[in-house]
Amino acid sequence: MTDLSNHKPLPRRWQIQHPIPREIDVALGDFSPLMRQLLYNRGIKDATHALAFLSAEVPYTTDPFLLKDMPAAVERLHKAICQDETIAIYGDYDADGVTASALMHEFLRVLGAAPRIYIPNRFDEGYGLNEEAIRQLAAEGVDLIITVDCGARAVHEVTLANELGVDVIITDHHAPGKDLPPTAALINPKQPGNTYPFRYLAGVGLAYKLTQAYLQTYPRPGVDPADWLDLVAIGTVADLAPLQEENRMLVRDGLIRIRKGTRPGLTALAGSAGLNLADCHTGMIGFGLGPRLNAAGRIDTALTAFELLTTHDYHRAGELAQKLDDQNSQRQEETQQIRELAAARVLEEDPEALLFFAADPAFNPGVVGLAA
């Protein structure tokens, strides 16, 4: 390792929030001066939204059918269920994608389907839908692909799927491009024509909205979308989605569910990290559970994290949790190695540089972003 102990740290740059304007200070007059400033710092400017923020509720309807294409998504999914079609869930390899994949997988199994799960490998396939995977799923007889946390820009891949006789429902929170993929339905709050009042649901949040919409239209006795709020909370926090408005409500309710310890994989994962789920909070997700779920896709395959979240076997959950803990340790070591190597190079070339570029074929692409 390179010794950086004598390296002068970069100066801190403090960013001070602007004082609360007089008119907003008056509008929030029922709160203490400190609370008024904190609320203003978070973009809250009236008492209605302040009370909603503090109680983790939203001041408007969260009807999932306000999402554009939601009726079409529900009907296409219902057709697949009724006609016993082969469904594939196509996810992403980060914690948001894995929790969304687990949610959709469990939901479809409750509906009586036996979905195929496909999460691409970061190193061999990269992010999102790819042509080879589409051809493979079509060859396996898949009739419908449901994406979670990916696909909003996959115009070519969805076109190929259609040519091969496969319909695609996309649920994705990433901004779409100028041209939209020719889907059976595109569930994305950032697409043109969307009227949903909150644009910042995570990928797992959009998967949750699809379950809500389906069960509102075709109720199943004993099945409640809230059963999956633990996954929604983890994916939302781990993906750094803003904890405002609906996200704040979903995470608050999800934390309550996590603390009950009903999911074997989460119990085992917390145990491997030395955490107590009964005291779970967003920091525990962001710095304990989330990084371990993300480590699977950064080091090897995200399917390990998916299996952990969906297994009902406590022994198997323990094995998988230990594997993820080991991978997270490896991820931390590799991140530190890359940082030290990059810093050593810039110190040799220009010790005063505030911006520099370092590349090496030995850098693990799964952790290089963290090192940066």
Side-chain angles (χ1 to χ4, degrees):
M1 296 293 176
T2 303
D3 182 8
L4 303 177
S5 58
N6 295 322
H7 175 51
K8 182 180 178 181
L10 295 178
R12 291 186 173 91
R13 299 179 180 181
W14 293 96
Q15 294 183 338
I16 307 300
Q17 294 285 359
H18 297 292
I20 184 171
R22 170 66 180 170
E23 64 275 14
I24 298 177
D25 194 50
V26 171
L28 297 173
D30 291 338
F31 302 94
S32 69
L34 175 60
M35 183 62 74
R36 294 200 293 270
Q37 181 66 55
L38 292 174
L39 289 168
Y40 174 69
N41 292 351
R42 286 156 179 77
I44 298 169
K45 302 178 181 180
D46 60 71
T48 299
H49 285 81
L51 290 171
F53 176 83
L54 294 173
S55 62
E57 296 177 352
V58 291
Y60 52 74
T61 178
T62 56
D63 180 4
F65 286 100
L66 292 177
L67 285 161
K68 186 179 180 182
D69 282 1
M70 186 61 82
V74 168
E75 294 308 316
R76 182 61 188 88
L77 175 56
H78 189 59
K79 175 187 174 184
I81 297 298
C82 291
Q83 298 185 4
D84 198 25
E85 294 183 356
T86 301
I87 304 173
I89 301 164
Y90 196 110
D92 185 26
Y93 39 65
D94 68 359
D96 185 20
V98 170
T99 52
S101 298
L103 185 158
M104 190 57 59
H105 183 268
E106 292 186 350
F107 172 61
L108 293 180
R109 288 183 64 85
V110 166
L111 297 182
R116 161 86 156 85
I117 185 71
Y118 193 98
I119 300 178
N121 185 286
R122 181 193 297 265
F123 307 100
D124 299 331
E125 300 174 82
Y127 168 78
L129 291 164
N130 67 78
E131 183 175 323
E132 183 177 347
I134 294 294
R135 293 187 183 280
Q136 176 182 331
L137 292 172
E140 293 176 0
V142 169
D143 302 294
L144 174 65
I145 294 174
I146 302 175
T147 78
V148 289
D149 195 30
C150 65
R153 291 175 173 258
V155 176
H156 171 74
E157 291 79 6
V158 175
T159 299
L160 173 63
N162 292 342
E163 292 172 353
L164 296 174
V166 181
D167 286 340
V168 181
I169 295 173
I170 287 177
T171 67
D172 187 11
H173 67 128
H174 299 97
K178 180 180 178 181
D179 297 321
L180 300 180
T183 61
L186 172 61
I187 309 301
N188 186 308
K190 296 170 184 170
Q191 68 173 306
N194 178 73
T195 60
Y196 200 76
F198 186 61
R199 288 167 47 87
Y200 302 106
L201 290 167
V204 68
L206 290 173
Y208 174 76
K209 301 309 289 189
L210 178 55
T211 68
Q212 273 191 322
Y214 187 92
L215 291 173
Q216 283 183 22
T217 309
Y218 302 104
R220 295 292 179 102
V223 182
D224 186 344
D227 293 342
W228 296 287
L229 281 175
D230 56 344
L231 297 175
V232 176
I234 291 171
T236 299
V237 173
D239 210 52
L240 303 180
L243 297 186
Q244 301 170 353
E245 301 189 34
E246 188 169 7
N247 279 346
R248 187 171 172 83
M249 178 189 72
L250 294 171
V251 170
R252 188 274 309 269
D253 292 347
L255 286 172
I256 294 172
R257 191 163 193 87
I258 290 172
R259 291 168 190 152
K260 295 179 180 178
T262 57
R263 189 175 294 274
L266 290 184
T267 301
L269 191 62
S272 69
L275 304 173
N276 181 7
L277 281 188
D279 300 322
C280 189
H281 49 77
T282 55
M284 188 181 296
I285 295 174
F287 297 98
L289 304 178
R292 284 167 171 79
L293 293 173
N294 273 320
R298 295 187 185 280
I299 299 299
D300 188 10
T301 171
L303 289 172
T304 302
F306 170 81
E307 184 184 353
L308 174 79
L309 292 175
T310 55
T311 185
H312 298 286
D313 184 326
Y314 280 91
H315 179 72
R316 179 59 176 160
E319 294 177 339
L320 294 168
Q322 186 58 58
K323 181 176 181 179
L324 291 184
D325 191 62
D326 292 342
Q327 289 178 332
N328 188 54
S329 296
Q330 181 182 345
R331 185 270 306 172
Q332 291 173 323
E333 293 174 3
E334 292 187 9
T335 300
Q336 183 63 19
Q337 290 170 1
I338 293 174
R339 290 177 59 191
E340 292 183 358
L341 179 57
R345 288 183 178 179
V346 73
L347 288 175
E348 293 173 0
E349 298 177 9
D350 184 0
E352 302 301 320
L354 293 179
L355 178 66
F356 61 92
F357 178 83
D360 192 302
F363 289 171
N364 181 342
V367 301
V368 71
L370 298 177

